[in-house]
Amino acid sequence: MKYVALLRGINVGGKNKVEMKKLTLAFEEAGMTSVTTYINSGNVVFVSTNDYKETIAATLERVIFSHFDLQIHVLVYSSDEFLKIAQSVPESWSNDQAMKSDVLFLWQDVDDETIVNRLPIKLDIDRVIYVPGAILWSVDKDMVVKSGIGKLVGTALYRRMTVRNVNTVRKISALLKSL
């Protein structure tokens, strides 16, 4: 079965440095096949014979710790789950000069549509959509500093998610489809 692993907090601000070639080898050592990484922010597409995402995530966290001595949280989505999230992003949303659009992938313990009520949304600025497994968040680039998303960073809730911009999500989707 095809999966996506999203590693939280690697290669951010010069911390938790992980080389993608070495990460690929670590995944292969853990029994994953057809391993492909995308950019240095911890996006990995792979195939596993294991049907339990939680088991895969725990295995990958152990392997990352043993290879890199880092306590990195890993979020695993099946191909179908990831593609449903990616397809839910409005086509008009972009991450460019005019707009900032992100997907906030959620750990299972906070993955519930009521999570929207816990977010610091500014209704006149932020565009927010809940889909199972993620929050889709978009704001016009000139309003980013006024957006509520900045208030989310550093909170306990923020530590239960990992963020990718929509361009990255679309590229990972293309990788999944080509695998």
Side-chain angles (χ1 to χ4, degrees):
M1 186 166 182
K2 295 188 283 187
Y3 293 95
V4 173
L6 303 173
L7 284 62
R8 187 178 193 286
I10 68 163
N11 299 330
V12 176
K15 296 181 181 176
N16 297 334
K17 291 186 178 186
V18 176
E19 282 183 46
M20 293 303 102
K21 285 184 181 181
K22 290 181 180 178
L23 183 63
T24 298
L25 293 173
F27 269 60
E28 290 170 346
E29 183 181 296
M32 311 308 152
T33 59
S34 301
V35 179
T36 304
T37 61
Y38 177 67
I39 63 176
N40 286 337
S41 60
N43 309 295
V44 187
V45 175
F46 61 95
V47 173
S48 175
T49 57
N50 191 324
D51 290 335
Y52 298 101
K53 298 181 309 181
E54 294 78 13
T55 303
I56 295 170
T59 298
L60 294 173
E61 288 174 1
R62 281 192 304 275
V63 167
I64 291 166
F65 183 75
S66 70
H67 279 260
F68 305 102
D69 198 30
L70 295 172
Q71 294 276 359
I72 300 296
H73 295 288
V74 178
L75 190 55
V76 176
Y77 287 92
S78 71
S79 177
D80 288 344
E81 290 169 325
F82 191 90
L83 292 173
K84 280 182 185 174
I85 292 168
Q87 291 162 355
S88 297
V89 176
E91 284 186 40
S92 62
W93 286 18
S94 60
N95 201 56
D96 56 21
Q97 302 284 343
M99 187 182 290
K100 176 177 174 43
S101 302
D102 292 323
V103 178
L104 291 66
F105 292 94
L106 305 171
W107 261 256
Q108 192 171 14
D109 62 321
V110 296
D111 184 9
D112 183 284
E113 63 187 271
T114 62
I115 190 172
V116 173
N117 301 328
R118 297 170 53 195
L119 298 173
I121 300 167
K122 294 199 175 174
L123 295 176
D124 55 332
I125 296 172
D126 299 309
R127 294 174 291 278
V128 177
I129 302 169
Y130 168 81
V131 296
I135 297 291
L136 313 178
W137 196 311
S138 185
V139 62
D140 293 336
K141 211 53 167 260
D142 61 348
M143 298 300 278
V144 168
V145 295
K146 294 181 180 180
S147 169
I149 197 166
K151 291 184 171 114
L152 183 61
V153 177
T155 65
L157 183 57
Y158 187 72
R159 288 187 288 278
R160 303 304 299 151
M161 55 182 66
T162 187
V163 181
R164 301 298 186 274
N165 74 54
V166 295
N167 299 342
T168 297
V169 170
R170 289 174 177 142
K171 180 61 178 180
I172 295 169
S173 294
L175 289 171
L176 271 172
K177 291 174 185 175
S178 69
L179 189 65

